[in-house]
Amino acid sequence: MMDINKFIAPPLQFEVLEHDRVIAKVKLHYMNQTVEVWQDDTVEPVFLPFPGKSKVLVSDVLDYFESRCVPRTRHHIDKILQSMGLQEYVPTDIVKKTHGVLYDDYVWIRFSGEELNCTDVHPRYAIEQGISSDLY
């Protein structure tokens, strides 16, 4: 008998951090299209992935990922994707490579199973801390 579960992706689990402080935890269940979220309500809403949302949808997670990516309309986006080893613009895949790092803030994404800190993924923060990184 065929095991149907082998065709279903396991839940996507990640944390959103500001510097090295976990400010949100997210678990996206592909099977039933639900999202479990914990957000630190002491953090400024501008840093949270889903500020003010009581129910987070899968589409909200995908929109959040895209908000942490290089824009789809960026000049030479095909070359940028190629440099990441990607064939097409898929925000989830991009964020798995970039950790959702943007120059404008210190918010980033750490996926389940990763043991990273801010200096590992954020070149500007590493430089400010006087830490050499292999990111650049």
Side-chain angles (χ1 to χ4, degrees):
M1 183 165 194
M2 187 184 309
D3 181 10
I4 191 76
N5 289 327
K6 73 179 184 180
F7 297 110
I8 299 168
L12 178 66
Q13 297 182 71
F14 62 93
E15 298 170 322
V16 178
L17 297 91
E18 199 268 333
H19 288 98
D20 286 317
R21 177 182 174 192
V22 176
I23 61 172
K25 294 181 180 184
V26 180
K27 187 174 188 179
L28 186 158
H29 298 272
Y30 291 104
M31 178 90 162
N32 58 10
Q33 294 289 290
T34 60
V35 181
E36 296 173 43
V37 176
W38 168 83
Q39 297 186 103
D40 185 339
D41 61 6
T42 66
V43 172
E44 290 289 325
V46 69
F47 296 119
L48 294 173
F50 316 107
K53 282 195 116 19
S54 57
K55 180 170 175 58
V56 176
L57 306 174
V58 172
S59 61
D60 296 323
V61 174
L62 299 177
D63 288 346
Y64 178 66
F65 283 169
E66 186 154 358
S67 78
R68 305 297 303 179
C69 290
V70 60
R72 289 176 183 270
T73 55
R74 173 70 52 88
H75 188 61
H76 295 303
I77 189 65
D78 54 334
K79 291 179 182 172
I80 294 167
L81 294 172
Q82 186 178 31
S83 74
M84 287 189 254
L86 300 173
Q87 301 298 316
E88 56 189 332
Y89 191 99
V90 178
T92 305
D93 294 342
I94 294 169
V95 169
K96 284 181 178 179
K97 299 271 188 184
T98 66
H99 297 280
V101 170
L102 302 177
Y103 187 81
D104 299 344
D105 62 29
Y106 293 102
V107 175
W108 61 284
I109 298 165
R110 179 171 56 202
F111 290 92
S112 178
E114 295 179 329
E115 294 183 22
L116 300 169
N117 59 43
C118 193
T119 56
D120 294 326
V121 300
H122 204 300
R124 182 170 61 120
Y125 182 67
I127 290 168
E128 289 170 358
Q129 301 304 305
I131 298 169
S132 173
S133 173
D134 61 3
L135 294 174
Y136 36 81

